[in-house]
Amino acid sequence: MTSFSAMPCQPAQAAFRLAPGAPVPAPLRGRVLALGNFDGVHRGHAELARVAVELAAARGAQAGALTFEPHPRSVFRPDQPVFRLTPEAVKCALLAGLGLADCLVIPFDRAVAEIEAEAFVDELLLGRLGAAGLVCGYDFHFGRGRRGSPEMLQARAAAAGVPVVVVPPLSWQGEPVSSTLVRAALEQGDVARAAALLGRPWFVRGEIVHGDKRGRDLGYPTANMVLGRDCRLRYGIYAVRMAIDGVWHDGVASFGSRPTFDDGAPRLETFVFDFKGDLYGRVVDVAFVDWLRGEAKFDTLEALIAQMDADSRRARAILAATPAFSPSSPHPSPPPAKP
């Protein structure tokens, strides 16, 4: 079983976008490529990366990833945007941590969707990219009408002497790992289950912005982030860790509309334990370790503060029982039981 770090510890190389018809720089040709959307970069994706790295070593090549941006569903169903688990930069950073340092991105649109499957293989993968090997999942489909299949890919690549490895479904705790399953867990607030499927805590990356500063008056100054409109994380209170300058700090966070005050646009508000400093304008990661409770409306500020005190105590207890994140230490699965 492939395991990997709790977070990307170094930034990935900048993704290379494959402009239609443009030549591919020679240093990026001849890779063994892992193919997929890779949203979430979960345990199944980690297995694809492991196989690609092994195949690359056997063929004296380097391993990379070929992915698509934006997510195809956002092109075909823009009124139903997919809940993105990892935006492009984070996805490429995670893939780099798995040994796929080169992240080649196909800008996906309807024109790309109309490329015939045969042309996708012959002209792009084997031609422009000169792939030395290919690795895909059992359910990888491509080309116009999604006619391209792993079997077609193997047959056409074999004719050119290029090996294709099809990775079977990976199960974790009795069910196949998928981005869909991770999204479902997050929509239920089950961040511990999401972490077990991912192999690391799910995290968001964003800039700390000014809020209404009510937290200061309540004794809980928070660092505020606005998450993407497609985020469907369940509203509620979570035990979290925030990465500030590469150092993880324990905390408690609320994601929701603040019903006690204004029922406004959703916002992530994180109280970082035992931290003093100005975070405005900083880009940080917030990793979700465990669910505490759902969002609630309180009749008095006193009742709200009492609940925040209780949430903080419980979050501290959970985080004290959760191993510290480090670049070399994968997050344990399953996570520790709640105290």
Side-chain angles (χ1 to χ4, degrees):
M1 177 67 66
T2 299
S3 62
F4 53 111
S5 61
M7 301 293 146
C9 48
Q10 296 99 15
Q13 297 177 11
F16 180 81
R17 305 188 78 78
L18 295 169
V24 176
L28 294 179
R29 288 175 47 81
R31 296 287 191 266
V32 169
L33 295 172
L35 312 175
N37 283 319
F38 297 112
D39 190 31
V41 193
H42 53 58
R43 290 183 183 274
H45 298 144
E47 180 64 8
L48 259 71
R50 183 192 66 78
V51 172
V53 169
E54 286 189 355
L55 180 59
R59 294 184 64 80
Q62 295 186 24
L66 180 66
T67 188
F68 306 87
E69 288 291 341
H71 193 286
R73 201 176 94 179
S74 68
V75 173
F76 293 117
R77 288 184 278 173
D79 57 327
Q80 300 176 28
V82 66
F83 173 11
R84 288 298 303 269
L85 301 172
T86 45
E88 180 180 329
V90 173
K91 176 170 71 174
C92 290
L94 287 166
L95 290 171
L98 294 173
L100 306 179
D102 296 316
C103 192
L104 310 181
V105 177
I106 297 175
F108 192 84
D109 56 20
R110 289 188 176 273
V112 170
E114 288 299 310
I115 296 174
E116 296 293 346
E118 294 83 356
F120 183 84
V121 178
D122 298 344
E123 297 174 16
L124 176 62
L125 298 180
L126 304 180
R128 291 173 60 201
L129 292 171
L134 299 164
V135 178
C136 69
Y138 70 100
D139 56 352
F140 179 67
H141 288 82
F142 56 93
R144 185 176 182 181
R146 292 171 53 83
R147 286 197 311 108
S149 66
E151 294 75 22
M152 173 193 281
L153 183 60
Q154 283 182 314
R156 296 193 78 85
V162 175
V164 175
V165 179
V166 179
V167 177
L170 180 112
S171 293
W172 185 255
Q173 298 180 349
E175 51 191 340
V177 176
S178 70
S179 300
T180 298
L181 205 58
V182 175
R183 293 187 191 102
L186 294 173
E187 289 171 9
Q188 296 165 7
D190 193 349
V191 294
R193 178 63 176 156
L197 294 166
L198 290 167
R200 55 172 169 76
W202 180 67
F203 70 99
V204 295
R205 176 170 296 168
E207 180 181 347
I208 300 301
V209 299
H210 289 274
D212 48 36
K213 298 182 174 56
R214 292 192 188 99
R216 294 181 182 178
D217 297 333
L218 300 174
Y220 285 92
T222 57
N224 302 316
M225 295 168 61
V226 178
L227 304 187
R229 293 176 58 188
D230 60 14
C231 181
R232 293 198 293 274
L233 176 69
R234 183 180 177 186
Y235 286 3
I237 313 302
Y238 296 87
V240 302
R241 286 188 171 131
M242 178 183 286
I244 305 170
D245 294 331
V247 177
W248 289 101
H249 300 262
D250 292 352
V252 61
S254 169
F255 178 61
S257 60
R258 304 164 304 283
T260 300
F261 298 104
D262 57 9
D263 267 329
R267 191 165 64 205
L268 178 65
E269 300 175 304
T270 304
F271 174 62
V272 185
F273 300 143
D274 311 316
F275 177 83
K276 293 183 179 180
D278 185 357
L279 295 176
Y280 292 123
R282 303 275 291 277
V283 175
V284 302
D285 292 344
V286 177
F288 293 80
V289 177
D290 215 339
W291 162 268
L292 300 182
R293 63 175 176 85
E295 191 175 44
K297 184 174 182 177
F298 294 87
D299 294 330
T300 66
L301 292 182
E302 290 75 16
L304 173 60
I305 293 171
Q307 183 62 60
M308 293 169 73
D309 291 343
D311 294 337
S312 294
R313 288 192 298 271
R314 189 174 172 207
R316 284 181 183 272
I318 289 172
L319 294 166
T322 302
F325 298 163
S326 71
S328 61
S329 175
H331 182 63
S333 296
K338 299 178 184 179

